[in-house]
């Protein structure tokens, strides 16, 4: 089975790695220190041996005894000098390299070349003092040899060899080696404790996740960012881009997203409000922004680390996509309202007809069926002739049924005509305006308790404007409050959820470039007239 450190948790890995690094570092440094110490001690021992050897070779007593080949004098003198200088041995030989003094008396008279002939020659023949490390008759030693010159200094009459055994060096190195082992163990223990503390702190900072989990989460996050249809751009506290997905690059015609990382956001978008969010720490939602030819809906949120704002993320989508979705939802809602109203209305009619049949009033039941058929046929015929647009026609048919359901009558002027609807006019905004005004007219009429609960609608497409006129039988709107009713949240009702319809009408009408007037009704109530230009920017009444 192959060993892999990735199988272990991050804490174990950090302990192993830091401990191993400390072990290798202290071990390598220790070996280097021991080697350097051994070399230094041997060099110092060699220099000392050389100094002692030269000193002995220059002593007149030694020179005279060597010249006379007097071993009896040299032997005790060499022993004394060895003890005095703390040398392991002092060996003295004549000009031929024969021992005249030696710690082992049985070796007197024997040649010193048995220890090292290559070193004797330069010393005896050339007068060179040398330091060598060799295995001699007394063991491994650091020895120094110096020539003994005659009194007149004209000839070499002998040689002095002073040696210090390396056992003391090795013993000293052994003591340091033990100290080094203890230091290595202490460093290893310190590294392990440090690794445990640091790993715990690091794990806390990364929410207890393993590196592989972080990598997987990063890949998931990147895949998520690249898969969403919304554009996403994030900046750090310096205003530099840290994240941008492919949807943002495609939407804004930016370079490859990886090339934008680190770019100041103002370099790409000088008028960006992301820096405003960065300094104010206030999120911004559903802001309409124009970038070139694009109209975007933008959200901006600050990013926090503790109590500090560390960046801003902005998500945005093209407004025309949201408008398309809104258009589809508006159509579905209009169809649903129309079907619900028709189902409720016909359910009431069917119950009434069933009751008439049960009591035997068949003639009244037939009259009611005929009246219902005639009313719907007349309305459908009018809508087909006057309003060929299916969305607007469906909206009006739904509101007609809703009025019947509420006990009201929605009357459409038979002279109405709305055939010239511009193709570019957003149908969802048009039906939203008409639908909200009719709903408001229904509520006003019901709340007033009018004896003639009739709401009238007339429309014309003659000229440059589309004109819709809606008149109710409500209590009317005082002139001093006519402008206030279009403010968001303003309503005469106490129930929550009101006060949005007329505000929406005002907003959408402004987007279409239209206007609105409020007048008293013919007999009572209020008449609201709206003017929507067929071509925005043109003149309209």
């Amino acid at each position: 089975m192959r060993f892999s450190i990735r199988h272990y948790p991050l804490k174990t890995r950090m302990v192993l790695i830091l401990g191993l690094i400390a072990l290798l570092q202290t071990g390598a440094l220790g070996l280097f220190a021991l080697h350097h110490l051994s070399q230094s001690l041997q060099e110092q021992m060699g220099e000392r041996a050389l100094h002692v050897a030269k000193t002995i070779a220059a002593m007149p007593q030694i020179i005279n005894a060597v010249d006379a080949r007097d071993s009896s004098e040299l032997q005790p003198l060499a022993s004394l000098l060895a003890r005095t200088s703390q040398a392991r041995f002092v060996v003295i030989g004549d000009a031929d390299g024969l021992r005249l003094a030696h710690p082992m008396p049985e070796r007197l008279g024997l040649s010193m070349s048995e220890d090292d002939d290559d070193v004797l020659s330069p010393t005896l023949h050339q007068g060179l003092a040398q330091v060598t490390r060799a295995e001699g008759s007394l063991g491994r030693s650091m020895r120094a040899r110096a020539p003994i010159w005659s009194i007149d200094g004209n000839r070499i009459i002998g040689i002095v060899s002073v040696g210090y055994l390396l056992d003391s060096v090795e013993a000293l190195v052994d003591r340091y080696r033990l100290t080094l082992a203890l230091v290595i163990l202490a460093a290893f223990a310190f590294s392990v404790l440090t690794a445990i503390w640091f790993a715990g702190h690091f794990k806390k900072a990364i929410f207890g996740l393993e590196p592989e989990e972080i990598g997987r989460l990063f890949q998931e996050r990147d895949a998520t960012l690249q898969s969403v249809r919304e554009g996403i751009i994030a900046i750090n506290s310096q205003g530099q881009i840290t994240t941008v997905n492919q949807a943002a690059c495609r939407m804004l015609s930016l370079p490859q997203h990886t090339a934008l990382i680190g770019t100041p956001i103002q370099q790409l978008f000088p008028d960006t409000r992301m820096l405003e969010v960065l300094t104010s720490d206030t999120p911004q939602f559903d802001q309409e922004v124009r970038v070139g030819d694009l109209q975007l809906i933008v959200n901006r949120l600050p990013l926090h680390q503790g109590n500090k704002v560390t960046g801003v993320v902005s998500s945005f989508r093209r407004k025309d996509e949201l408008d398309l979705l809104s258009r589809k939802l508006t159509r579905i809602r209009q169809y649903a309202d129309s079907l619900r109203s028709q189902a409720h209305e016909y359910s009431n009619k069917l119950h009434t007809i069933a009751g008439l049949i049960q009591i035997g009033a068949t003639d009244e039941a037939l009259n009611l069926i005929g009246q219902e058929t005639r009313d719907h046929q007349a309305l459908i015929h009018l809508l087909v002739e006057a309003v060929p647009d299916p969305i607007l026609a469906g909206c009006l048919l739904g509101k007609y049924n809703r009025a019947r359901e509420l006990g009201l009558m929605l009357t459409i002027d038979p002279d109405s005509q709305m055939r010239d609807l511009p193709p570019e006019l957003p149908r969802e905004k048009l039906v939203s305006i008409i639908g909200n005004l009719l709903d408001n007219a229904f509520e006003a009429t019901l709340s007033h308790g009018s004896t003639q609960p009739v709401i009238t609608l007339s429309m014309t497409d003659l000229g440059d404007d589309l004109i819709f006129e809606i008149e109710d039988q409500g209590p009317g709107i005082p002139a001093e409050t006519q402008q206030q009713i279009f403010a968001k949240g303003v309503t005469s009702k106490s129930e929550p959820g009101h006060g949005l319809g007329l505000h929406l009408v005002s907003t959408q009408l402004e987007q279409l470039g239209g206007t609105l007037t409020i007048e008293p009704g013919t007999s009572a109530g209020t008449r609201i007239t709206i003017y929507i230009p067929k071509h925005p920017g043109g003149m309209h009444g």
Side-chain angles (χ1 to χ4, degrees):
M1 181 183 296
R2 294 179 60 187
F3 173 79
S4 177
I5 197 171
R6 291 186 178 182
H7 296 158
Y8 293 94
L10 176 62
K11 195 169 186 178
T12 304
R13 279 186 265 178
M14 296 185 71
V15 170
L16 289 175
I17 291 174
L18 290 179
L20 183 60
I21 290 175
L23 199 61
L24 292 176
Q25 285 182 337
T26 53
L29 290 174
L31 291 175
F32 173 77
L34 288 177
H35 177 73
H36 181 71
L37 176 63
S38 178
Q39 291 292 109
S40 298
L41 290 174
Q42 291 181 21
E43 289 178 1
Q44 291 177 11
M45 189 174 288
E47 292 176 359
R48 183 178 179 183
L50 183 60
H51 175 71
V52 172
K54 288 182 177 180
T55 301
I56 294 174
M59 295 174 63
Q61 187 177 0
I62 295 296
I63 295 174
N64 292 330
V66 170
D67 195 21
R69 298 179 60 85
D70 187 356
S71 294
S72 60
E73 183 180 358
L74 289 173
Q75 184 72 3
L77 186 57
S79 298
L80 177 61
L81 292 173
R83 289 194 303 270
T84 304
S85 62
Q86 297 181 345
R88 179 64 181 82
F89 61 85
V90 173
V91 178
I92 301 174
D94 59 11
D96 297 323
L98 300 178
R99 296 185 180 99
L100 299 176
H102 194 277
M104 302 173 66
E106 64 272 15
R107 292 183 176 272
L108 293 176
L110 300 179
S111 176
M112 295 174 62
S113 62
E114 64 183 23
D115 291 338
D116 197 346
D117 186 48
D118 292 337
V119 177
L120 291 178
S121 179
T123 303
L124 292 173
H125 300 126
Q126 301 175 25
L128 298 178
Q130 296 186 75
V131 178
T132 61
R133 183 174 56 185
E135 185 76 33
S137 58
L138 296 176
R140 294 181 65 249
S141 61
M142 181 65 69
R143 62 185 62 181
R145 290 186 173 89
I148 301 174
W149 294 85
S150 61
I151 295 297
D152 55 11
N154 293 327
R155 57 191 176 87
I156 296 174
I157 60 174
I159 183 172
V160 175
S161 177
V162 178
Y164 289 86
L165 292 182
L166 294 177
D167 296 345
S168 59
V169 174
E170 293 176 355
L172 182 60
V173 171
D174 287 339
R175 289 200 300 270
Y176 279 103
R177 188 176 289 115
L178 178 61
T179 303
L180 175 64
L182 295 176
V183 171
I184 290 176
L185 290 176
F188 179 76
F190 177 77
S191 298
V192 169
L193 294 176
T194 303
I196 293 174
W197 172 83
F198 181 74
H201 178 76
F202 187 72
K203 287 276 287 186
K204 184 178 179 181
I206 60 177
F207 305 101
L209 298 174
E210 296 293 327
E212 292 77 13
E213 293 177 316
I214 296 175
R216 184 170 63 254
L217 288 175
F218 177 80
Q219 291 177 337
E220 291 176 359
R221 168 254 193 194
D222 190 62
T224 302
L225 285 177
Q226 304 307 332
S227 63
V228 297
R229 296 183 61 185
E230 286 194 353
I232 297 175
I233 296 178
I235 61 173
N236 58 18
S237 57
Q238 284 75 42
Q240 299 172 336
I241 295 176
T242 57
T243 301
V244 55
N245 66 347
Q246 293 179 357
C249 295
R250 289 194 302 268
M251 200 178 304
L252 303 176
S253 301
L254 298 175
Q256 184 66 21
H257 65 283
T258 54
L260 297 174
I261 304 302
T263 304
I265 187 66
Q266 282 189 309
Q267 183 175 325
L268 297 177
F269 308 107
D271 299 328
T272 180
R273 299 184 64 184
M274 293 181 71
L275 298 179
E276 176 184 324
V277 176
L278 189 64
T279 55
S280 67
D281 192 17
T282 303
Q284 299 176 354
F285 298 102
D286 300 327
Q287 302 285 316
E288 290 194 21
V289 176
R290 177 171 290 278
V291 179
D293 296 332
L294 293 177
Q295 192 76 14
L296 304 176
I297 302 298
V298 182
N299 294 308
R300 306 179 186 93
L301 291 173
L303 301 175
H304 297 89
Q305 186 171 3
N307 297 324
K308 183 180 179 182
V309 179
T310 58
V312 177
V313 60
S314 173
S315 63
F316 48 90
R317 196 165 187 174
R318 294 179 57 168
K319 188 174 183 296
D320 53 4
E321 294 183 1
L322 298 178
D323 289 343
L324 177 61
L325 179 61
S326 175
R327 190 180 305 122
K328 291 179 180 179
L329 292 175
T330 301
R331 292 177 183 176
I332 293 173
R333 187 180 66 181
Q334 295 292 340
Y335 294 152
D337 288 344
S338 177
L339 291 174
R340 183 179 58 82
S341 298
Q342 289 186 26
H344 192 276
E345 175 67 15
Y346 280 111
S347 176
N348 291 333
K349 297 297 182 182
L350 288 175
H351 290 158
T352 303
I353 293 171
L356 291 173
I357 294 175
Q358 287 177 356
I359 64 176
T362 56
D363 291 338
E364 287 79 359
L366 291 174
N367 288 334
L368 181 60
I369 294 172
Q371 181 64 38
E372 185 67 22
T373 303
R374 285 192 298 274
D375 290 345
H376 271 81
Q377 288 296 327
L379 176 63
I380 292 173
H381 179 74
L382 173 62
L383 292 177
V384 169
E385 290 294 328
V387 188
D389 186 85
I391 297 178
L392 180 57
C395 172
L396 296 178
L397 182 60
K399 293 303 178 183
Y400 174 83
N401 292 321
R402 176 60 178 164
R404 295 288 296 272
E405 181 182 340
L406 296 173
L408 305 173
M409 176 61 68
L410 174 61
T411 302
I412 299 178
D413 188 347
D415 294 329
S416 295
Q417 176 178 299
M418 192 57 60
R419 297 190 182 94
D420 191 18
L421 285 176
E424 65 275 8
L425 178 66
R427 298 299 192 267
E428 75 281 358
K429 293 184 178 180
L430 178 62
V431 299
S432 177
I433 293 171
I434 302 301
N436 277 295
L437 289 176
L438 288 174
D439 287 339
N440 198 66
F442 295 163
E443 293 178 1
T445 303
L446 285 173
S447 64
H448 189 54
S450 175
T451 57
Q452 295 181 341
V454 178
I455 295 91
T456 59
L457 168 67
S458 63
M459 45 191 172
T460 179
D461 58 0
L462 299 177
D464 295 327
D465 296 323
L466 305 176
I467 303 174
F468 295 85
E469 187 177 275
I470 299 172
E471 184 173 341
D472 62 40
Q473 297 297 320
I477 302 175
E480 59 272 13
T481 63
Q482 288 182 2
Q483 295 302 319
Q484 300 176 5
I485 63 173
F486 295 101
K488 187 175 182 180
V490 175
T491 178
S492 60
K493 306 172 186 64
S494 59
E495 299 87 355
H498 294 280
L500 299 176
L502 292 179
H503 171 72
L504 184 61
V505 168
S506 176
T507 301
Q508 293 179 333
L509 196 60
E510 182 181 354
Q511 292 174 355
L512 296 178
T515 57
L516 179 148
T517 62
I518 301 177
E519 301 172 323
T522 303
S523 57
T526 304
R527 181 190 303 118
I528 296 180
T529 307
I530 61 173
Y531 303 87
I532 301 175
K534 296 180 181 179
H535 307 287
M539 295 298 294
H540 52 79

